[in-house]
Amino acid sequence: MKELKIESTLYVYDNLNELDKDVISLMHKASEARDNAYAPYSKFNVGAALLLDNGEVITGSNQENASYPSGLCAERTAIYYSGAKYPKAKILKMAIIAGSTKSQTTEPIPPCGACRQSIAEYEVKQDLPIEIFFMGEVGKVVKSNSLANLLPLVFDKSAL
Ligand code: THU
């Protein structure tokens, strides 16, 4: 038996203003996208914004459905749209902002497991780390230098 220890490094900022201007602006775009969330069932609104290497910003919000599993998270709405519209562009950064309309969300909200798997596909495909920033409606922001930090032992094309 051999013990396998897995470590991830994340950076926690006290508030958004501690980050670079381009990240602040990307988070604001994610916040605007969040206004278009369609979440009548969970009342949990999420916005995501991607900065591409061609300068474009792609945004998405969660879109729910009366048939619950048919809905889609903000991160996947954005990343699939990015892949569909700019298949050759590389994704440099992703900003995510999330919170319930029932009470203010002050803690950073990381992307769900399914979104991590979907983001991993693009990070592997483009062979360039995607910087990920996530926050609640206010307060701390977490930065990950790569999706790999959020999803160790990723399942990817190397297994197929
Ligand atoms: N949601 C996202 O948009 N992204 C995540 O990473 C976590 C969850 C959405 C899905 C659903 O519409 C609502 O938040 C509650 O789960």
Coordinates of all heavy atoms in Angstrom, one line a residue, residues 42 44 46 62 64 73-75 110-112 115, ligand 1:
S42 N -35.1 26.9 -7.6 CA -34.1 26.9 -6.5 C -33.9 28.3 -5.8 O -33.4 28.4 -4.7 CB -32.7 26.4 -7.0 OG -32.1 27.5 -7.8
F44 N -31.8 30.2 -6.6 CA -30.3 30.3 -6.5 C -29.8 30.8 -7.9 O -29.8 30.1 -8.8 CB -29.7 29.0 -6.1 CG -28.3 29.1 -5.6 CD1 -28.0 29.6 -4.4 CD2 -27.2 28.7 -6.5 CE1 -26.7 29.7 -3.9 CE2 -25.9 28.8 -6.0 CZ -25.6 29.3 -4.8
V46 N -27.0 32.2 -10.5 CA -25.6 32.1 -10.8 C -25.2 32.8 -12.1 O -26.0 32.6 -13.1 CB -25.1 30.6 -10.8 CG1 -23.6 30.5 -10.9 CG2 -25.6 29.8 -9.6
N62 N -27.6 30.4 -14.9 CA -28.3 29.1 -14.8 C -29.7 29.2 -15.3 O -30.4 30.2 -15.2 CB -28.2 28.5 -13.4 CG -28.7 29.5 -12.3 OD1 -28.6 30.7 -12.4 ND2 -29.4 28.9 -11.3
E64 N -33.1 27.0 -15.4 CA -33.8 25.8 -14.8 C -35.0 25.4 -15.6 O -35.4 26.0 -16.6 CB -34.2 26.2 -13.3 CG -33.0 26.4 -12.5 CD -33.3 26.6 -11.0 OE1 -34.5 26.8 -10.6 OE2 -32.3 26.6 -10.2
C73 N -26.4 24.6 -15.4 CA -25.7 25.6 -14.6 C -25.1 26.7 -15.5 O -24.9 26.6 -16.7 CB -24.5 24.9 -13.9 SG -25.0 23.7 -12.6
A74 N -24.8 27.8 -14.8 CA -24.3 29.0 -15.5 C -23.0 28.7 -16.1 O -22.7 29.1 -17.3 CB -24.1 30.1 -14.4
E75 N -22.1 28.0 -15.4 CA -20.7 27.7 -16.0 C -20.8 26.9 -17.3 O -20.1 27.2 -18.2 CB -19.9 26.9 -14.9 CG -19.7 27.7 -13.6 CD -20.7 27.4 -12.6 OE1 -21.9 27.3 -12.9 OE2 -20.4 27.4 -11.4
P110 N -18.2 27.6 -5.1 CA -17.4 26.9 -6.1 C -18.3 26.2 -7.1 O -19.4 25.9 -6.8 CB -16.6 25.8 -5.3 CG -17.4 25.6 -4.1 CD -18.2 26.8 -3.8
P111 N -17.8 26.0 -8.4 CA -18.6 25.3 -9.4 C -18.9 23.9 -8.9 O -18.1 23.2 -8.3 CB -17.7 25.3 -10.6 CG -16.3 25.7 -10.2 CD -16.5 26.4 -8.9
C112 N -20.1 23.4 -9.3 CA -20.4 22.0 -8.9 C -19.6 21.0 -9.7 O -18.8 21.3 -10.6 CB -21.9 21.8 -9.2 SG -22.3 21.5 -11.0
C115 N -20.0 20.8 -13.5 CA -19.3 21.9 -14.2 C -17.8 21.8 -14.2 O -17.1 22.1 -15.2 CB -19.7 23.2 -13.5 SG -21.5 23.7 -13.9
Ligands
THU1 N1 -25.8 26.1 -10.2 C1 -25.0 26.7 -11.1 O1 -25.4 27.4 -12.0 N2 -23.7 26.4 -11.0 C2 -23.1 25.6 -10.0 O2 -21.9 25.4 -10.1 C3 -23.9 25.1 -8.9 C4 -25.4 25.2 -9.1 C5 -27.3 26.3 -10.3 C6 -28.0 25.1 -10.8 C7 -29.4 25.3 -10.2 O3 -30.1 26.1 -11.2 C8 -29.1 26.2 -9.0 O4 -27.8 26.7 -9.1 C9 -29.3 25.4 -7.7 O5 -28.5 24.2 -7.7

